[in-house]
Amino acid sequence: STSFERDRVNAALDEIAADLERFRADLTTAGSAEASIEWFVEARYQAQVWELDTPLPTPRLDRNADVDALIDSFHRTHERIYAVRDEGSAVEFVNWKGRLSIRPFDPPPAPEPVEACYTPLPDTHRECFFEGLGRVSTPVFRGVGLVAGAEIRGPAIVEEPTTTLVIPPQMRAHLSAAGTYVLDCR
Protein backbone atom coordinates (compact mmCIF):
# COMPACT_ATOMS: atom_id res chain seq x y z
CA SER A 1 0.00 0.00 0.00
CA THR A 2 3.00 2.33 0.39
CA SER A 3 4.15 1.98 -3.24
CA PHE A 4 1.04 0.82 -5.08
CA GLU A 5 1.67 0.12 -8.79
CA ARG A 6 -1.76 0.92 -10.19
CA ASP A 7 -0.89 0.26 -13.87
CA ARG A 8 0.56 -3.21 -13.19
CA VAL A 9 -2.37 -4.14 -10.96
CA ASN A 10 -4.94 -2.99 -13.52
CA ALA A 11 -3.09 -4.90 -16.26
CA ALA A 12 -3.26 -8.05 -14.11
CA LEU A 13 -6.97 -7.50 -13.43
CA ASP A 14 -7.61 -7.01 -17.16
CA GLU A 15 -5.79 -10.27 -17.90
CA ILE A 16 -7.84 -12.12 -15.28
CA ALA A 17 -11.05 -10.65 -16.73
CA ALA A 18 -10.07 -11.80 -20.23
CA ASP A 19 -9.27 -15.32 -18.97
CA LEU A 20 -12.62 -15.54 -17.19
CA GLU A 21 -14.48 -14.28 -20.25
CA ARG A 22 -12.74 -16.88 -22.45
CA PHE A 23 -13.66 -19.58 -19.96
CA ARG A 24 -17.28 -18.38 -19.95
CA ALA A 25 -17.38 -18.32 -23.76
CA ASP A 26 -16.11 -21.94 -23.86
CA LEU A 27 -19.09 -23.11 -21.81
CA THR A 28 -21.58 -23.78 -24.56
CA THR A 29 -24.51 -23.93 -22.14
CA ALA A 30 -23.55 -20.69 -20.41
CA GLY A 31 -23.35 -18.48 -23.50
CA SER A 32 -26.47 -16.52 -22.65
CA ALA A 33 -26.58 -17.24 -18.92
CA GLU A 34 -26.36 -14.39 -16.45
CA ALA A 35 -22.78 -14.11 -15.15
CA SER A 36 -20.89 -11.90 -12.74
CA ILE A 37 -17.27 -11.50 -11.69
CA GLU A 38 -16.19 -10.88 -8.13
CA TRP A 39 -12.73 -9.48 -7.49
CA PHE A 40 -10.43 -10.36 -4.59
CA VAL A 41 -6.86 -9.93 -3.52
CA GLU A 42 -4.96 -12.03 -1.02
CA ALA A 43 -3.62 -9.37 1.33
CA ARG A 44 -1.88 -9.14 4.69
CA TYR A 45 -0.26 -6.63 6.97
CA GLN A 46 3.40 -6.30 6.08
CA ALA A 47 5.42 -9.33 7.20
CA GLN A 48 2.37 -11.28 8.41
CA VAL A 49 2.26 -14.96 7.53
CA TRP A 50 -1.42 -15.41 6.60
CA GLU A 51 -3.19 -13.67 3.75
CA LEU A 52 -6.88 -12.83 3.79
CA ASP A 53 -9.13 -12.87 0.72
CA THR A 54 -10.19 -9.25 0.55
CA PRO A 55 -12.95 -8.09 -1.79
CA LEU A 56 -12.06 -5.30 -4.21
CA PRO A 57 -14.47 -2.36 -4.03
CA THR A 58 -14.20 -1.82 -7.81
CA PRO A 59 -13.03 -4.05 -10.69
CA ARG A 60 -10.28 -1.53 -11.53
CA LEU A 61 -8.20 0.69 -9.28
CA ASP A 62 -7.86 3.82 -11.42
CA ARG A 63 -7.87 6.50 -8.72
CA ASN A 64 -6.25 7.04 -5.32
CA ALA A 65 -9.73 6.83 -3.80
CA ASP A 66 -10.10 3.29 -5.26
CA VAL A 67 -6.84 2.21 -3.62
CA ASP A 68 -7.88 3.84 -0.32
CA ALA A 69 -11.21 1.94 -0.48
CA LEU A 70 -9.29 -1.32 -1.06
CA ILE A 71 -7.04 -0.69 1.94
CA ASP A 72 -10.12 0.04 4.05
CA SER A 73 -11.71 -3.18 2.76
CA PHE A 74 -8.65 -5.10 3.97
CA HIS A 75 -8.79 -3.42 7.42
CA ARG A 76 -12.48 -4.37 7.75
CA THR A 77 -11.79 -7.95 6.64
CA HIS A 78 -8.90 -8.24 9.11
CA GLU A 79 -11.03 -6.83 11.91
CA ARG A 80 -13.89 -9.22 11.07
CA ILE A 81 -11.56 -12.24 11.16
CA TYR A 82 -9.11 -11.29 13.93
CA ALA A 83 -11.07 -8.60 15.86
CA VAL A 84 -8.26 -6.08 15.39
CA ARG A 85 -7.19 -3.59 12.73
CA ASP A 86 -3.79 -1.94 12.40
CA GLU A 87 -4.28 1.11 10.22
CA GLY A 88 -0.71 2.24 10.90
CA SER A 89 0.79 -0.81 9.15
CA ALA A 90 1.38 -1.14 5.43
CA VAL A 91 -0.73 -3.67 3.55
CA GLU A 92 0.85 -6.17 1.15
CA PHE A 93 -1.21 -7.32 -1.82
CA VAL A 94 -0.04 -10.80 -2.78
CA ASN A 95 -2.35 -12.46 -5.35
CA TRP A 96 -5.07 -10.87 -7.44
CA LYS A 97 -8.06 -13.10 -8.17
CA GLY A 98 -11.37 -13.09 -9.97
CA ARG A 99 -14.31 -15.43 -9.49
CA LEU A 100 -16.79 -16.05 -12.28
CA SER A 101 -20.27 -16.97 -11.09
CA ILE A 102 -22.78 -18.21 -13.64
CA ARG A 103 -26.42 -18.33 -12.64
CA PRO A 104 -27.89 -21.69 -13.60
CA PHE A 105 -30.65 -21.70 -16.14
CA ASP A 106 -34.18 -21.82 -14.89
CA PRO A 107 -35.45 -25.38 -14.94
CA PRO A 108 -37.87 -26.24 -17.71
CA PRO A 109 -41.52 -25.86 -16.80
CA ALA A 110 -43.18 -28.84 -15.18
CA PRO A 111 -45.13 -31.01 -17.59
CA GLU A 112 -48.82 -30.38 -17.74
CA PRO A 113 -50.73 -32.67 -15.38
CA VAL A 114 -52.35 -35.65 -17.03
CA GLU A 115 -55.55 -37.06 -15.70
CA ALA A 116 -55.78 -40.84 -15.52
CA CYS A 117 -57.07 -41.53 -18.98
CA TYR A 118 -56.70 -45.25 -19.40
CA THR A 119 -56.29 -48.55 -17.64
CA PRO A 120 -53.50 -50.53 -19.31
CA LEU A 121 -53.65 -54.25 -19.91
CA PRO A 122 -51.23 -56.30 -17.81
CA ASP A 123 -48.25 -57.96 -19.50
CA THR A 124 -48.65 -61.09 -17.40
CA HIS A 125 -50.02 -62.39 -14.07
CA ARG A 126 -48.17 -63.82 -11.11
CA GLU A 127 -49.34 -65.53 -7.91
CA CYS A 128 -48.63 -63.16 -4.99
CA PHE A 129 -49.55 -63.15 -1.33
CA PHE A 130 -51.29 -60.13 0.15
CA GLU A 131 -52.32 -59.94 3.79
CA GLY A 132 -56.06 -60.20 4.06
CA LEU A 133 -56.38 -61.71 0.57
CA GLY A 134 -53.96 -64.61 0.68
CA ARG A 135 -52.58 -65.87 -2.64
CA VAL A 136 -54.09 -64.08 -5.62
CA SER A 137 -53.38 -63.91 -9.32
CA THR A 138 -51.79 -60.46 -9.59
CA PRO A 139 -51.45 -58.40 -12.77
CA VAL A 140 -47.86 -57.48 -13.66
CA PHE A 141 -47.09 -54.43 -15.80
CA ARG A 142 -43.80 -53.57 -17.52
CA GLY A 143 -43.12 -49.92 -16.71
CA VAL A 144 -41.38 -49.29 -20.02
CA GLY A 145 -44.65 -49.96 -21.82
CA LEU A 146 -46.71 -47.50 -19.79
CA VAL A 147 -47.37 -43.89 -20.76
CA ALA A 148 -48.47 -40.86 -18.77
CA GLY A 149 -52.05 -41.15 -17.66
CA ALA A 150 -51.97 -44.88 -16.92
CA GLU A 151 -53.90 -45.81 -13.81
CA ILE A 152 -53.27 -49.19 -12.20
CA ARG A 153 -55.45 -50.46 -9.37
CA GLY A 154 -54.04 -52.74 -6.72
CA PRO A 155 -53.25 -55.41 -6.09
CA ALA A 156 -50.72 -55.12 -8.91
CA ILE A 157 -47.00 -55.07 -9.67
CA VAL A 158 -45.09 -52.65 -11.91
CA GLU A 159 -41.65 -53.82 -12.98
CA GLU A 160 -39.20 -51.06 -13.88
CA PRO A 161 -35.60 -51.62 -15.04
CA THR A 162 -34.19 -50.72 -11.61
CA THR A 163 -37.04 -51.38 -9.19
CA THR A 164 -40.33 -53.15 -8.65
CA LEU A 165 -43.39 -51.29 -7.43
CA VAL A 166 -45.94 -53.27 -5.43
CA ILE A 167 -49.37 -51.69 -5.40
CA PRO A 168 -51.28 -53.08 -2.42
CA PRO A 169 -55.03 -53.76 -2.48
CA GLN A 170 -57.11 -50.63 -1.90
CA MET A 171 -54.47 -48.44 -3.57
CA ARG A 172 -53.89 -47.24 -7.09
CA ALA A 173 -50.88 -45.90 -8.98
CA HIS A 174 -51.10 -43.11 -11.50
CA LEU A 175 -48.22 -42.46 -13.93
CA SER A 176 -47.73 -38.69 -14.00
CA ALA A 177 -46.61 -36.55 -16.92
CA ALA A 178 -43.20 -36.29 -15.22
CA GLY A 179 -42.83 -40.07 -15.39
CA THR A 180 -43.31 -40.70 -11.66
CA TYR A 181 -45.81 -42.97 -9.98
CA VAL A 182 -48.27 -41.34 -7.62
CA LEU A 183 -49.89 -43.78 -5.22
CA ASP A 184 -53.06 -43.04 -3.32
CA CYS A 185 -55.97 -44.83 -1.69
CA ARG A 186 -58.90 -45.38 -3.98
Side-chain angles (χ1 to χ4, degrees):
S1 59
T2 57
S3 59
F4 195 84
E5 296 184 35
R6 191 177 296 116
D7 291 337
R8 286 183 63 194
V9 168
N10 283 329
L13 293 173
D14 290 343
E15 187 177 330
I16 293 168
D19 286 346
L20 292 174
E21 192 52 46
R22 274 192 299 277
F23 177 77
R24 179 178 184 249
D26 287 346
L27 299 174
T28 56
T29 59
S32 62
E34 183 180 317
S36 63
I37 297 176
E38 296 172 90
W39 298 98
F40 300 91
V41 61
E42 291 178 2
R44 63 184 176 209
Y45 286 122
Q46 191 169 12
Q48 271 192 327
V49 176
W50 306 108
E51 292 89 21
L52 296 175
D53 278 350
T54 303
L56 273 65
T58 59
R60 290 184 55 83
L61 303 167
D62 292 321
R63 302 171 304 139
N64 287 341
D66 297 333
V67 176
D68 291 342
L70 174 59
I71 293 168
D72 186 58
S73 179
F74 172 75
H75 290 309
R76 282 181 292 159
T77 301
H78 195 278
E79 185 174 35
R80 182 176 51 84
I81 302 292
Y82 296 115
V84 66
R85 58 193 294 155
D86 185 5
E87 294 183 19
S89 291
V91 178
E92 294 179 334
F93 302 105
V94 181
N95 293 309
W96 300 92
K97 304 190 293 187
R99 178 186 314 152
L100 176 67
S101 299
I102 299 175
R103 183 180 172 276
F105 291 101
D106 291 329
E112 291 295 319
V114 175
E115 295 297 322
C117 57
Y118 78 101
T119 301
L121 296 174
D123 293 291
T124 188
H125 283 77
R126 186 174 302 139
E127 289 290 315
C128 297
F129 181 87
F130 289 94
E131 189 173 341
L133 293 180
R135 293 177 65 88
V136 295
S137 177
T138 306
V140 178
F141 301 86
R142 306 274 186 266
V144 294
L146 301 174
V147 295
E151 182 177 278
I152 301 170
R153 296 182 177 272
I157 295 174
V158 178
E159 294 179 338
E160 289 286 346
T162 59
T163 191
T164 299
L165 176 66
V166 177
I167 305 166
Q170 306 303 317
M171 292 199 77
R172 65 180 169 197
H174 175 256
L175 184 57
S176 75
T180 59
Y181 294 97
V182 180
L183 273 75
D184 59 23
C185 295
R186 44 182 171 153

